[in-house]
Amino acid sequence: MIHVLYFAWLRERAGTSRESVETRAPTVSALVEELRARSEGHALAFSDLRAVRVAVDQKLASFEAPLDGAREVAFFPPMTGG
Amino acid sequence: MEVRVGPEAFDPGAELSAFVAGVAGAGAVVSFTGVVRGDGGLEAMEIEHYPGMTEAAIAGMVDQARHRFGLVAVRVLHRHGRLAAGEPIMMVLTAAPHRRAAFDAADFLMDYLKSRAPFWKKELGPGGSAWVAAKDEDEESLDRWAPDRA
């Protein structure tokens, strides 16, 4: 089980800020493919991955990152702090 | 506390005074305050963040800055939630033996906060709301601090 978090417009498109997912996806990319199938909103959120950043267990990661043992995966747009 | 993330408003003048009072003998103190712009009819800003990762990411930047620039003290404040035009959003304070290190450390921290701290801004105006897009120039600013450029 992995906790999936969404922020900013990914949250708005996916229609949720947090969900628990039963998955055996080996990588972030594989997880994204599974999430896309959850709803039209999810598919829209992940329609252009160039605009999406990911963190695995609160550390920035790539879409190729393995999910072995990961507990939390977050998706969000490029950050705009400061 | 070196890193403070929360919805509460803060007084930049009072923060600076308290910081200076706590770093007697540092030689140089630099502060930067980011404020919600009021141009284009912007009324307010909603700032979303990633609780937990935000604090850890900023703490990591602060550690890097302290070692890289030999800081005597450093503090980062960043708000989230709804902020009206004109309200301070965030503040970086650095103290070093000499001014160059204090300026550079504040500049470094600002560049990292812009693009590597998990905050997202949404602008609210008369015509509705829109997420602020990240700028290419913010990523380019970060490149300035790459090890081979140092």
Side-chain angles (χ1 to χ4, degrees), chain A residues 5-9 11-12 55 57-60 72-74 76-82, chain B residues 48-53 78 90 113-122 131-134:
Chain A
L5 278 62
Y6 304 92
F7 292 97
W9 56 258
R11 169 178 53 73
E12 293 175 342
D57 288 331
Q58 305 197 354
K59 288 202 163 54
L60 282 176
E72 186 172 289
V73 177
F76 41 79
M79 305 173 212
T80 52
Chain B
E48 184 170 333
H49 78 126
Y50 185 171
M53 182 175 169
H78 205 302
M90 52 80 59
L113 282 162
K114 277 263 169 216
S115 308
R116 293 291 181 273
F119 290 100
W120 301 276
K121 294 190 187 119
K122 190 181 215 178
W131 291 101
V132 174

